[in-house]
Amino acid sequence: MDILEIILIGIGLSMDAAAVSLCKGLSACHIRVRQSLLVGVYFGGFQALMPALGYFLGSAFEVYIQRYSHWVSFILLLLIGANMIRESFEEEECCDASFRFGSLLPLAVATSIDALVIGVHFEAESYNVSQLLLSVAIIGAITFAISAVAVWLGTVVGSRYNRAAQRVGGSILILIGLKVLLEGLGILNL
């Protein structure tokens, strides 16, 4: 694979993270640059970590990764999306817009599980360690940038239309989870 292919893979892998980052921004009343960068670090970091992990797990776990990753992503995104929708009906002015470890970790994991398969592919293509490091650095950097911008954009929209934006954001997370599940089950091929 050449650099352009890795960049395209990075952009493709970052789309779920971008949508979830946008939704995270929708739930925040205000955001600081530090928080936007933190979201980028979580999503970019996990998007880089998962292919590396898939590479080292290799073909030994390929069947399990492909068999169950869509279920894990679906359940995490369903729970997070449903919670966003539930919080939008509460009387608080701002819903939980936490940028803590426990809040960002499940989102980062859910959006990066599909990248495990890319790592298995890298191993099958006989990537050496330097090719792997370059690839995961590009994937992580792209996801970092897209996620950091997306959470900021979500905040801009969310500050104006907070409750409606949270309902839409929660619904989007649930739909992304459903899409991942249907693709994993072979029902939907996009």
Side-chain angles (χ1 to χ4, degrees):
M1 257 187 242
D2 63 14
I3 297 286
L4 179 60
E5 289 175 312
I6 298 299
I7 290 170
L8 293 174
I9 287 172
I11 292 169
L13 288 174
S14 71
M15 289 300 103
D16 284 350
V20 171
S21 297
L22 185 70
C23 293
K24 187 67 175 167
L26 291 173
S27 68
C29 291
H30 304 286
I31 191 169
R32 293 186 297 263
V33 172
R34 179 184 171 278
Q35 293 167 317
S36 183
L37 295 175
L38 184 64
V39 169
V41 166
Y42 269 90
F43 287 106
F46 272 88
Q47 207 67 268
L49 175 66
M50 291 298 193
L53 187 60
Y55 176 86
F56 291 113
L57 292 176
S59 58
F61 293 98
E62 179 179 14
V63 172
Y64 300 110
I65 292 168
Q66 289 180 339
R67 185 178 297 157
Y68 299 112
S69 67
H70 53 278
W71 282 105
V72 173
S73 293
F74 170 70
I75 291 168
L76 287 172
L77 291 170
L78 174 69
L79 292 173
I80 295 163
N83 188 52
M84 273 182 78
I85 293 169
R86 180 190 57 80
E87 287 177 347
S88 75
F89 289 102
E90 292 178 357
E91 293 301 316
E92 301 173 23
E93 181 151 331
C94 292
C95 294
D96 179 24
S98 174
F99 290 89
R100 291 175 304 189
F101 177 79
S103 175
L104 292 176
L105 180 66
L107 293 171
V109 170
T111 59
S112 63
I113 289 175
D114 56 344
L116 277 169
V117 178
I118 296 297
V120 172
H121 174 73
F122 290 162
E123 190 270 335
E125 292 285 320
S126 300
Y127 270 41
N128 61 42
V129 174
S130 64
Q131 289 172 307
L132 173 70
L133 291 175
L134 177 62
S135 298
V136 299
I138 290 169
I139 291 168
I142 288 169
T143 305
F144 167 83
I146 289 173
S147 297
V149 169
V151 74
W152 177 79
L153 288 174
T155 303
V156 170
V157 172
S159 65
R160 293 189 183 116
Y161 310 103
N162 191 20
R163 297 209 185 272
Q166 279 191 289
R167 291 177 191 134
V168 169
S171 299
I172 289 170
L173 291 181
I174 292 169
L175 290 173
I176 290 171
L178 186 59
K179 175 186 142 301
V180 168
L181 178 64
L182 293 175
E183 286 175 346
L185 294 173
I187 297 170
L188 183 65
N189 294 317
L190 295 177

